[in-house]
Amino acid sequence: MAHPVNDHALDVIFRDARSQNGFLDKSVPEVLVRAVYDLAKMGPTSANCCPARFVWITSDEAKARLKPHMGGNNTDKTMGAPYVCIIAYDLKFQEKIPKLFPHAPEAKDWFNSNRDETAFRNGTLQGAYLMIAARALGLDCGPMSGFDADGVNKEFFESQDGEMQHWRANFICNIGHGDKSKLFDRSPRLDFEEACRVL
Protein backbone atom coordinates (compact mmCIF):
# COMPACT_ATOMS: atom_id res chain seq x y z
CA MET A 1 0.00 0.00 0.00
CA ALA A 2 1.36 3.40 -0.99
CA HIS A 3 2.06 5.97 1.72
CA PRO A 4 1.62 9.73 1.27
CA VAL A 5 4.75 11.78 0.70
CA ASN A 6 5.75 14.08 3.54
CA ASP A 7 4.79 17.73 3.91
CA HIS A 8 8.19 18.92 2.68
CA ALA A 9 7.66 17.15 -0.64
CA LEU A 10 4.18 18.64 -0.97
CA ASP A 11 5.60 22.10 -0.25
CA VAL A 12 8.34 21.72 -2.87
CA ILE A 13 6.05 20.38 -5.59
CA PHE A 14 2.86 22.37 -4.92
CA ARG A 15 2.42 24.68 -1.93
CA ASP A 16 5.63 26.72 -2.20
CA ALA A 17 6.27 26.18 -5.91
CA ARG A 18 5.73 29.22 -8.10
CA SER A 19 5.69 30.05 -11.80
CA GLN A 20 9.02 31.80 -12.21
CA ASN A 21 9.47 35.10 -14.04
CA GLY A 22 13.26 35.10 -13.88
CA PHE A 23 16.16 32.78 -13.22
CA LEU A 24 19.46 32.95 -11.40
CA ASP A 25 22.69 32.75 -13.37
CA LYS A 26 23.25 29.22 -12.15
CA SER A 27 23.92 26.36 -14.52
CA VAL A 28 21.84 23.20 -14.68
CA PRO A 29 23.78 20.05 -15.63
CA GLU A 30 22.38 17.95 -18.46
CA VAL A 31 22.40 14.91 -16.18
CA LEU A 32 19.72 16.64 -14.08
CA VAL A 33 17.59 17.40 -17.15
CA ARG A 34 17.83 13.73 -18.11
CA ALA A 35 16.77 12.76 -14.58
CA VAL A 36 13.73 15.05 -14.89
CA TYR A 37 12.66 13.30 -18.08
CA ASP A 38 13.27 9.84 -16.58
CA LEU A 39 10.79 10.68 -13.83
CA ALA A 40 8.25 12.42 -16.06
CA LYS A 41 8.09 9.55 -18.56
CA MET A 42 6.60 7.31 -15.86
CA GLY A 43 3.32 9.26 -15.75
CA PRO A 44 0.26 7.55 -17.26
CA THR A 45 -1.09 8.20 -20.76
CA SER A 46 -3.81 6.54 -22.84
CA ALA A 47 -2.62 3.03 -23.73
CA ASN A 48 0.86 4.27 -22.75
CA CYS A 49 0.92 6.22 -26.02
CA CYS A 50 3.43 8.81 -24.71
CA PRO A 51 2.90 11.43 -27.45
CA ALA A 52 4.85 14.25 -25.78
CA ARG A 53 8.19 15.29 -27.19
CA PHE A 54 10.61 17.64 -25.46
CA VAL A 55 13.12 19.98 -27.07
CA TRP A 56 15.61 21.25 -24.49
CA ILE A 57 17.05 24.58 -25.59
CA THR A 58 20.17 25.80 -23.79
CA SER A 59 22.70 27.02 -26.37
CA ASP A 60 22.84 30.67 -27.43
CA GLU A 61 22.30 29.58 -31.03
CA ALA A 62 19.11 27.67 -30.25
CA LYS A 63 17.80 30.49 -28.06
CA ALA A 64 18.41 32.93 -30.93
CA ARG A 65 16.21 30.75 -33.14
CA LEU A 66 13.45 30.76 -30.52
CA LYS A 67 13.62 34.44 -29.55
CA PRO A 68 11.65 35.91 -32.52
CA HIS A 69 8.72 33.66 -31.69
CA MET A 70 8.35 34.63 -28.03
CA GLY A 71 5.71 37.17 -27.07
CA GLY A 72 6.10 40.34 -25.01
CA ASN A 73 7.60 39.93 -21.55
CA ASN A 74 8.18 36.24 -22.18
CA THR A 75 11.19 37.03 -24.37
CA ASP A 76 13.57 38.29 -21.69
CA LYS A 77 12.75 35.66 -19.09
CA THR A 78 13.09 32.93 -21.70
CA MET A 79 16.47 34.15 -22.89
CA GLY A 80 17.68 34.23 -19.27
CA ALA A 81 16.64 30.68 -18.36
CA PRO A 82 19.30 27.92 -18.26
CA TYR A 83 16.94 25.64 -20.17
CA VAL A 84 13.89 26.37 -22.26
CA CYS A 85 11.81 23.29 -22.98
CA ILE A 86 9.44 23.21 -25.92
CA ILE A 87 6.78 20.75 -24.81
CA ALA A 88 5.48 19.32 -28.05
CA TYR A 89 3.42 16.37 -29.20
CA ASP A 90 3.99 13.92 -32.02
CA LEU A 91 1.26 13.61 -34.64
CA LYS A 92 2.69 10.20 -35.50
CA PHE A 93 2.81 8.95 -31.92
CA GLN A 94 0.91 5.81 -33.00
CA GLU A 95 4.00 4.49 -34.77
CA LYS A 96 5.60 3.81 -31.38
CA ILE A 97 2.60 2.09 -29.77
CA PRO A 98 3.73 -1.47 -30.67
CA LYS A 99 6.86 -0.78 -28.59
CA LEU A 100 5.04 1.02 -25.79
CA PHE A 101 2.00 -1.27 -25.52
CA PRO A 102 3.40 -4.63 -26.70
CA HIS A 103 0.68 -6.82 -25.20
CA ALA A 104 -1.86 -5.19 -27.55
CA PRO A 105 -0.06 -3.96 -30.69
CA GLU A 106 -3.44 -3.38 -32.34
CA ALA A 107 -3.73 -0.35 -30.05
CA LYS A 108 -1.88 1.48 -32.82
CA ASP A 109 -5.25 1.77 -34.59
CA TRP A 110 -7.33 2.75 -31.56
CA PHE A 111 -6.67 6.44 -32.09
CA ASN A 112 -7.24 6.75 -35.83
CA SER A 113 -10.41 8.81 -35.33
CA ASN A 114 -9.05 11.10 -32.62
CA ARG A 115 -5.32 11.22 -33.24
CA ASP A 116 -4.82 14.97 -32.77
CA GLU A 117 -7.02 15.16 -29.68
CA THR A 118 -5.23 12.19 -28.10
CA ALA A 119 -1.79 13.61 -28.87
CA PHE A 120 -2.67 17.03 -27.48
CA ARG A 121 -4.43 15.81 -24.33
CA ASN A 122 -1.85 13.23 -23.35
CA GLY A 123 1.05 15.43 -24.40
CA THR A 124 -0.30 18.16 -22.11
CA LEU A 125 -0.47 15.65 -19.26
CA GLN A 126 3.13 14.72 -19.88
CA GLY A 127 4.14 18.37 -19.86
CA ALA A 128 2.59 18.69 -16.40
CA TYR A 129 4.41 15.55 -15.27
CA LEU A 130 7.64 17.16 -16.48
CA MET A 131 7.05 20.24 -14.35
CA ILE A 132 6.27 18.15 -11.27
CA ALA A 133 9.41 16.08 -11.86
CA ALA A 134 11.53 19.21 -12.26
CA ARG A 135 10.21 20.67 -9.02
CA ALA A 136 10.71 17.36 -7.21
CA LEU A 137 14.38 17.42 -8.26
CA GLY A 138 14.97 20.94 -6.99
CA LEU A 139 14.39 22.97 -10.15
CA ASP A 140 11.95 25.81 -10.79
CA CYS A 141 9.61 26.18 -13.75
CA GLY A 142 8.15 29.05 -15.73
CA PRO A 143 5.47 27.62 -18.04
CA MET A 144 3.93 29.86 -20.69
CA SER A 145 1.72 29.87 -23.74
CA GLY A 146 2.60 33.37 -24.92
CA PHE A 147 4.49 32.49 -28.08
CA ASP A 148 3.91 32.08 -31.80
CA ALA A 149 3.24 28.37 -32.10
CA ASP A 150 3.18 28.44 -35.91
CA GLY A 151 6.55 30.16 -35.94
CA VAL A 152 8.04 27.66 -33.49
CA ASN A 153 6.65 24.76 -35.50
CA LYS A 154 8.16 26.08 -38.72
CA GLU A 155 11.52 26.87 -37.14
CA PHE A 156 12.03 23.71 -35.12
CA PHE A 157 9.78 21.02 -36.57
CA GLU A 158 8.23 21.38 -40.01
CA SER A 159 11.55 22.31 -41.62
CA GLN A 160 13.34 19.27 -40.19
CA ASP A 161 13.93 15.88 -41.72
CA GLY A 162 12.81 12.71 -39.99
CA GLU A 163 10.47 12.31 -37.04
CA MET A 164 10.64 15.89 -35.79
CA GLN A 165 8.72 17.26 -38.76
CA HIS A 166 5.59 15.64 -37.26
CA TRP A 167 6.02 17.32 -33.87
CA ARG A 168 3.92 20.35 -32.87
CA ALA A 169 4.48 22.84 -30.07
CA ASN A 170 2.05 22.77 -27.15
CA PHE A 171 3.58 25.09 -24.56
CA ILE A 172 6.97 26.32 -23.43
CA CYS A 173 8.53 25.98 -20.00
CA ASN A 174 11.62 27.75 -18.69
CA ILE A 175 13.56 25.58 -16.25
CA GLY A 176 16.35 26.45 -13.85
CA HIS A 177 16.82 28.00 -10.43
CA GLY A 178 14.24 30.73 -10.00
CA ASP A 179 15.03 34.30 -8.97
CA LYS A 180 12.63 34.80 -6.06
CA SER A 181 13.02 38.59 -6.29
CA LYS A 182 11.08 38.54 -9.56
CA LEU A 183 8.03 36.73 -8.25
CA PHE A 184 4.62 38.39 -8.05
CA ASP A 185 2.31 37.86 -5.10
CA ARG A 186 0.59 34.52 -5.41
CA SER A 187 -2.79 34.77 -7.10
CA PRO A 188 -5.90 33.25 -5.50
CA ARG A 189 -7.18 29.79 -6.34
CA LEU A 190 -10.77 28.54 -6.43
CA ASP A 191 -12.13 26.86 -3.31
CA PHE A 192 -13.33 23.27 -3.48
CA GLU A 193 -16.96 24.41 -3.47
CA GLU A 194 -16.37 26.65 -6.49
CA ALA A 195 -14.50 24.16 -8.63
CA CYS A 196 -15.79 20.74 -7.61
CA ARG A 197 -18.95 18.68 -7.37
CA VAL A 198 -19.29 15.41 -5.50
CA LEU A 199 -22.06 13.31 -7.06
Side-chain angles (χ1 to χ4, degrees):
M1 181 175 179
H3 297 285
V5 298
N6 62 33
D7 269 349
H8 174 67
L10 295 175
D11 287 342
V12 167
I13 297 171
F14 292 107
R15 296 180 186 131
D16 295 337
R18 301 292 306 280
S19 293
Q20 299 294 323
N21 294 306
F23 291 85
L24 301 174
D25 185 15
K26 184 177 177 182
S27 64
V28 174
E30 185 177 321
V31 67
L32 185 52
V33 168
R34 289 176 175 271
V36 167
Y37 173 74
D38 282 339
L39 277 179
K41 72 182 182 183
M42 304 309 292
T45 54
S46 300
N48 200 36
C49 64
C50 301
R53 304 292 182 262
F54 305 97
V55 178
W56 298 90
I57 293 175
T58 189
S59 69
D60 291 341
E61 179 185 6
K63 285 183 180 180
R65 292 172 59 196
L66 179 63
K67 185 175 181 179
H69 309 296
M70 299 306 301
N73 294 333
N74 289 340
T75 304
D76 289 342
K77 56 187 175 184
T78 298
M79 294 301 105
Y83 274 94
V84 185
C85 188
I86 303 173
I87 290 94
Y89 55 93
D90 187 355
L91 292 174
K92 288 203 168 183
F93 70 91
Q94 291 163 280
E95 299 300 319
K96 296 191 183 296
I97 287 183
K99 171 185 177 178
L100 297 170
F101 210 61
H103 55 286
E106 68 275 10
K108 180 178 178 181
D109 298 323
W110 291 355
F111 305 107
N112 289 339
S113 63
N114 63 346
R115 178 200 70 175
D116 292 10
E117 179 183 352
T118 298
F120 182 75
R121 177 184 294 122
N122 287 274
T124 302
L125 275 174
Q126 289 184 276
Y129 301 148
L130 189 85
M131 291 172 55
I132 292 171
R135 288 172 169 180
L137 292 177
L139 295 170
D140 294 301
C141 300
M144 66 193 98
S145 56
F147 68 100
D148 176 7
D150 289 339
V152 169
N153 288 334
K154 288 175 184 175
E155 177 66 33
F156 289 93
F157 304 137
E158 294 172 12
S159 62
Q160 304 300 308
D161 293 328
E163 292 183 351
M164 286 182 70
Q165 66 183 264
H166 306 293
W167 299 7
R168 296 295 179 269
N170 185 344
F171 66 100
I172 287 176
C173 188
N174 296 330
I175 296 177
H177 299 283
D179 182 349
K180 305 297 189 275
S181 70
K182 295 185 179 178
L183 287 174
F184 303 120
D185 290 339
R186 175 161 243 159
S187 298
R189 301 297 196 268
L190 297 177
D191 293 331
F192 186 92
E193 289 73 19
E194 296 177 278
C196 305
R197 297 292 182 271
V198 179
L199 304 177

